[in-house]
Amino acid sequence: LDPQPGNPEWLRLKGWARWHLGDERGLLLLRKAASLARERAGWMWQDLGALLFRAGRWQEAEEALKRALDHFLAEDDHLGRAWALHGLGVAALHRGRLGPALERAEEAWALVRVKALGSFRGRVLTLLSSIHRAWGELREALFRARQAAEGKGDADDRAVALRSLGTA
């Protein structure tokens, strides 16, 4: 039996668990969590966007991430805004829309610098590197990848930054 069927946090966790077990119905649970959430709604929409992205459903991911961004703006949550902008940049890049991807990545980079969100620095720089590489701007791609690789982010971000550097 489901102990908390109307609790958005519970639905969020259950959705992620189902997704990780290979059950796409996890998306439905995250969508329900996002629609029910009063607190932390931005993070619910952010999670839904992340799962939709992983499912290759770029447009739906962008829609969820835009809703997340709206919530983060209303709540003045700078880290949430950086995550949503980064996600929107990644989704645009995967859809081949380099202009919007660069615009979102630059917005995220400005936010990281202004609000001192150092923990998110490498992730945004890696996105910028990927966008510049896709555009054929290899010097800028290398510059951003080096910046990302030299940072002190978490191990996952560092591995991605090093891969980006090697690719550039």
Side-chain angles (χ1 to χ4, degrees):
L1 295 174
D2 194 339
Q4 300 181 24
N7 179 339
E9 284 292 336
W10 171 255
L11 292 170
R12 175 183 183 222
L13 290 172
K14 190 173 169 183
W16 272 105
R18 280 201 171 181
W19 175 263
H20 283 298
L21 292 171
D23 185 350
E24 283 210 23
R25 288 178 295 179
L27 286 169
L28 298 174
L29 290 171
L30 250 81
R31 191 176 300 277
K32 183 176 179 182
S35 66
L36 291 174
R38 299 284 180 256
E39 295 177 20
R40 297 179 39 85
W43 290 104
M44 302 287 179
W45 286 106
Q46 176 71 28
D47 282 357
L48 178 60
L51 286 189
L52 288 164
F53 177 84
R54 289 182 173 132
R57 294 161 62 175
W58 318 121
Q59 186 172 349
E60 289 176 79
E62 281 187 41
E63 291 165 10
L65 292 167
K66 284 177 185 173
R67 292 194 68 173
L69 182 58
D70 289 342
H71 283 281
F72 292 137
L73 285 166
E75 297 164 6
D76 204 30
D77 182 336
H78 305 301
L79 182 59
R81 277 178 54 206
W83 270 101
L85 289 166
H86 175 270
L88 287 165
V90 171
L93 175 62
H94 280 267
R95 293 179 74 192
R97 298 171 46 230
L98 299 181
L102 183 60
E103 185 178 310
R104 293 302 190 166
E106 290 288 356
E107 284 181 73
W109 178 232
L111 187 61
V112 164
R113 288 190 337 266
V114 169
K115 298 298 180 182
L117 303 174
S119 63
F120 207 67
R121 179 182 183 274
R123 191 174 295 251
V124 174
L125 287 167
T126 300
L127 173 59
L128 283 167
S129 176
S130 297
I131 295 166
H132 286 293
R133 189 176 68 244
W135 233 326
E137 298 170 343
L138 298 183
R139 280 196 183 130
E140 186 68 17
L142 276 168
F143 174 69
R144 296 301 183 187
R146 280 191 188 107
Q147 283 183 304
E150 291 167 359
K152 293 182 173 103
D154 69 26
D156 289 341
D157 288 348
R158 183 154 168 72
V160 174
L162 289 170
R163 185 186 71 211
S164 183
L165 179 59
T167 303

